[in-house]
Amino acid sequence: MSYEFIVVGAGHNGLAAAVHLAAQGRKVLVIEARPEPGGAVKTQELTLPGYRHDLCAMNLSMFAGSAFCARYKDELGAHGLEFVPAQHCFASVFRDDSALGVGASLEETVSAIHALSPHDAVAWSQMVERFKDVAPYLFGLLGSPMPSWAAARTLFNAWRKQGTSGVYELIRLVLSSPRDFLDRHFENEKLKAMMAAWGLHVDFAPDAAGGALFPYLESMANQNFGMVIGKGGADTIIRAMTGLLKAKGGEIITGAPVRSITVSDGAARGVVLEDGRKFSASRAVIANLNPRLVFGGLLPAGSAPESFESKVKAFRPGPGAMMIHLATSGLPDWKAGAHLQKYAYVHVAPDLAMMSRVYAEAAAGLLPAEPVLVVGQPSALDPSRAPEGRHVLWVQVRVLPAQVKGDALSQIEGRDWDSCGQAYAERVLDLIEQYAPGIRGKILASHVMTPADLERENASLIGGDSLGGSHHLDQNFVFRPVAGYSRYRTPVKSLYLCGASTWPGAGTGAGSGFMLANMLAK
């Protein structure tokens, strides 16, 4: 069968591209290898019936604030899109059994910071106010192809409104490490740790250049706009997009792995499925996949120049992650206070020293002694995630090695995730127990996904990397995924890439899929 556009991979970026192209009257087919669409955005009953767990992504704030959602908000709503706002967004717990958090109330946040440092309370308030002026330009850059006249216009407008010094500060932010940025603005170590924890949601240890932007954006956006999760699960965005795609005449096939992308006369012409079915694309094939799966994988050998393929082969994954999903009889009893049960996220990352140590240990192939944890409490906001009076916990273990070479504590003997995953999950639960005593006694069932399990679930999560590749400066902006090919095209005519491996990178913002579709629709 023939289509104008074929999208390989039904993650949210691929679906965003397909929806927008179908909305322009294009004939679109989406093909997904797994039995259900969604990629890393799925919600499943992983532990017990009635307990709905977000497989990987939980925070949908980027999607809710995206240009794609703004364009199709009413139509997505008609197909079931629903968000649940978090009045208390994120918090960090510390070794002295205290905590610091950010919520919708600026007064509440500033009061908590003031108790630690009056200087920092003023600095935080000033940063929040300044963010209102800076945000349009930051989001303008993140929402523009890289490079593009749109990005250039955003910088020009920033210069007109903010002056040369304002543009310099913007560039300085983008290039700074988390530690340098935080030291420049604040004096209290707890506040710095609370913000720096966001760097390890990506792959930025405290001293990694280019790592300040994400902690700054997340902290300021949560303070100014709050956080949202999906009503009933993160898959609300996937169900809404697939419903809208079909309503606009698009088609989707699931449980259908692609064997190869067909190429003739130097251009992508369609795909062949593992079961032998063939589909042709008259306009383009869009691969919503890690580029390492496409070049040297789905494409015939020699389809792209050797120089390009070697650069794709060298495209580095970010650190691995582990997901631990818990069905529980109650929320954690945090030693830092019962108020923490209201927060969407609780970070267990008490200081910058341990964040640096975790990153170094993982980079050396070691199981970190004290892992960085993101403890999500979605059922505290959305009771529909679990039976009445029960809860689900979403525990993401950040910055782990893809290949295990040893254990930083010399306690776990396994040298691959299949043999040491459960033992390491016990270490994680022991750590949560330190900050929330009695949590083990509340666990009704658990489901552990090691970095190896994540890659088996989704081949694009290479080594358990949920980022689509490292976001360090040499793999970001115009260098993502390969310098000269940051605008989604490839050396193979009519073949395009989108997804987390392309600009603007990881997250649920659907940016690459929507920007690519806008370019192709013209």
Side-chain angles (χ1 to χ4, degrees):
M1 293 182 65
S2 180
Y3 296 83
E4 289 182 80
F5 296 93
I6 293 177
V7 180
V8 182
H12 72 283
N13 274 294
L15 290 172
V19 166
H20 190 60
L21 290 169
Q24 312 306 310
R26 312 298 190 182
K27 190 176 182 183
V28 183
L29 172 66
V30 179
I31 303 173
E32 168 58 40
R34 301 296 294 173
E36 61 181 306
V41 185
K42 291 178 180 174
T43 306
Q44 299 174 339
E45 293 185 347
L46 297 171
T47 55
L48 297 170
Y51 292 79
R52 289 180 54 76
H53 303 269
D54 290 338
L55 194 73
C56 294
M58 173 186 140
N59 180 357
L60 299 182
S61 300
M62 290 178 68
F63 186 87
S66 69
F68 174 79
C69 187
R71 176 70 175 267
Y72 293 104
K73 184 176 181 179
D74 291 342
E75 292 174 274
L76 290 168
H79 286 277
L81 178 65
E82 287 188 87
F83 298 123
V84 177
Q87 293 300 312
H88 296 83
C89 304
F90 69 93
S92 282
V93 291
F94 305 109
R95 300 188 193 282
D96 62 358
D97 298 332
S98 65
L100 182 63
V102 172
S105 168
L106 176 60
E107 181 180 359
E108 184 178 325
T109 304
V110 170
S111 177
I113 296 173
H114 188 274
L116 299 174
S117 165
H119 168 275
D120 286 358
V122 173
W124 179 274
S125 298
Q126 291 174 340
M127 186 176 286
V128 170
E129 191 63 29
R130 170 70 173 156
F131 180 73
K132 297 173 184 176
D133 296 327
V134 174
Y137 308 114
L138 287 175
F139 291 129
L141 286 174
L142 292 170
S144 300
M146 188 66 64
S148 66
W149 286 113
R153 283 194 299 271
T154 297
L155 289 173
F156 178 71
N157 289 333
W159 174 76
R160 287 183 61 194
K161 294 288 187 180
Q162 306 292 323
T164 301
S165 62
V167 173
Y168 281 163
E169 278 303 308
L170 189 63
I171 295 172
R172 191 182 189 191
L173 168 65
V174 169
L175 298 179
S176 291
S177 71
R179 189 191 302 273
D180 289 340
F181 170 76
L182 293 167
D183 284 348
R184 199 156 61 237
H185 291 279
F186 304 109
E187 61 184 20
N188 185 268
E189 295 303 317
K190 290 181 178 179
L191 174 56
K192 294 176 189 178
M194 181 190 73
M195 295 179 70
W198 283 107
L200 293 179
H201 278 253
V202 196
D203 62 327
F204 289 107
D207 295 299
L213 182 60
F214 198 65
Y216 170 74
L217 276 177
E218 283 291 343
S219 298
M220 293 297 102
N222 276 278
Q223 181 67 88
N224 279 274
F225 311 127
M227 180 188 291
V228 299
I229 64 173
K231 180 67 177 295
D235 65 346
T236 183
I237 70 173
I238 303 302
R239 288 183 280 108
M241 282 197 282
T242 54
L244 181 55
L245 174 63
K246 294 172 183 177
K248 292 188 176 297
E251 298 178 41
I252 182 168
I253 300 174
T254 58
V258 171
R259 179 193 302 165
S260 63
I261 297 172
T262 56
V263 176
S264 63
D265 298 326
R269 304 297 185 187
V271 299
V272 180
L273 305 189
E274 289 287 2
D275 61 14
R277 284 180 290 174
K278 298 179 180 180
F279 300 94
S280 62
S282 62
R283 290 288 305 279
V285 174
I286 299 171
N288 180 32
L289 303 169
N290 189 296
R292 287 171 54 174
L293 302 181
V294 179
F295 295 90
L298 297 181
L299 282 172
S303 297
E306 184 178 346
S307 59
F308 180 87
E309 291 197 358
S310 65
K311 290 175 182 177
V312 168
K313 187 176 181 180
F315 185 70
R316 301 188 311 279
M322 172 186 276
M323 294 302 310
I324 302 177
H325 298 287
L326 303 175
T328 67
S329 61
L331 292 167
D333 293 314
W334 298 101
K335 291 166 72 175
H339 67 288
L340 288 181
Q341 293 181 342
K342 301 176 183 178
Y343 282 83
Y345 279 165
V346 176
H347 289 127
V348 181
D351 52 65
L352 271 66
M354 69 83 67
M355 296 183 213
S356 296
R357 187 166 56 250
V358 164
Y359 197 92
E361 289 170 348
L366 300 178
L367 298 171
E370 183 184 19
V372 167
L373 307 183
V374 189
V375 182
Q377 304 178 126
S379 53
L381 313 176
D382 177 16
S384 72
R385 303 286 188 100
E388 185 175 358
R390 305 296 187 179
H391 289 275
V392 296
L393 290 183
W394 178 99
V395 182
Q396 189 174 64
V397 189
R398 297 301 315 174
V399 194
L400 296 175
Q403 303 297 324
V404 179
K405 298 179 182 178
D407 176 23
L409 292 179
S410 300
Q411 295 175 349
I412 299 174
E413 296 182 356
R415 291 298 177 266
D416 62 77
W417 280 110
D418 289 337
S419 61
C420 70
Q422 289 298 325
Y424 197 72
E426 292 300 316
R427 179 175 297 174
V428 170
L429 294 178
D430 286 343
L431 183 57
I432 299 175
E433 187 80 18
Q434 291 180 30
Y435 290 91
I439 188 61
R440 282 184 174 277
K442 295 185 178 185
I443 297 174
L444 305 174
S446 65
H447 184 272
V448 176
M449 297 189 74
T450 69
D453 293 327
L454 290 173
E455 185 172 357
R456 282 190 282 262
E457 161 65 27
N458 184 337
S460 284
L461 306 183
I462 296 174
D465 166 31
S466 60
L467 310 174
S470 170
H471 283 59
H472 287 186
L473 288 174
D474 66 328
Q475 288 195 173
N476 211 352
F477 301 98
V478 296
F479 303 106
R480 192 166 189 87
V482 172
Y485 293 91
S486 58
R487 289 171 56 88
Y488 314 115
R489 66 187 180 91
T490 74
V492 179
K493 294 178 182 178
S494 304
L495 176 63
Y496 297 85
L497 297 173
C498 73
S501 298
T502 63
W503 173 257
T508 58
S512 63
F514 188 49
M515 283 189 276
L516 172 58
N518 270 306
M519 296 163 69
L520 293 176
K522 296 177 181 178

